[in-house]
Amino acid sequence: MSDKTLTVLVLAVVAFSAAHDLDHLVRDDFSQSGAWAIAAAFLSVKYALTGAALYFYFRGKIGAGFWTVIGVLGAVALWFAHLSPAAEQRPPDISAMYGSPIAGFIASALVYALMLSLAAIALYGGWRAVGAGRRG
């Protein structure tokens, strides 16, 4: 585990993802009937898998290639959920849900920060995975 850049990117993705999930909870996106059960199940699975991925990453069992796939899939999901023209909760919509302009700015900035971290881990992880393949 000698790649400090990859480690920083992994931790950034996890932190921004957790902060974004917390934003969904603060905005009460799960107030519809049955939505809390679905959200609880999804978040339980998500964080169990995140914990397992971190465990195996810090023990050297998974590396750059794995995080490249996570970055690409995460960026695609985030695009459709929040950044595409058809998204129901684009950053300006998220910002408008808060009474405070600062809170709204932080919540919408989290979407962009998460997207940037996912793109960075996809690009850097891919570069490391391809580069490691050539050297090995």
Side-chain angles (χ1 to χ4, degrees), residues 11-132:
L11 295 176
V13 166
V14 171
F16 288 136
S17 179
H20 180 66
D21 291 339
L22 181 61
D23 167 58
H24 276 283
L25 293 171
V26 168
R27 288 187 286 121
D28 196 22
D29 276 349
F30 312 116
S31 60
Q32 296 172 357
S33 177
W36 273 108
I38 294 169
F42 173 77
L43 293 175
S44 296
V45 170
K46 176 183 176 179
Y47 287 103
L49 292 175
T50 298
L54 290 172
Y55 176 84
F56 289 116
Y57 173 66
F58 284 117
R59 281 162 181 67
K61 304 295 183 189
I62 59 175
F66 173 83
W67 294 110
T68 299
V69 172
I70 294 300
V72 169
L73 294 176
V76 168
L78 189 65
W79 169 261
F80 283 111
H82 291 297
L83 298 172
S84 74
E88 289 184 21
Q89 290 188 359
R90 298 177 48 81
D93 304 323
I94 293 170
S95 183
M97 293 178 178
Y98 284 89
S100 164
I102 293 172
F105 173 79
I106 291 169
S108 60
L110 278 173
V111 173
Y112 295 117
L114 180 55
M115 180 56 89
L116 287 172
S117 66
L118 288 165
I121 205 168
L123 294 170
Y124 183 78
W127 176 72
R128 287 296 305 214
V130 170

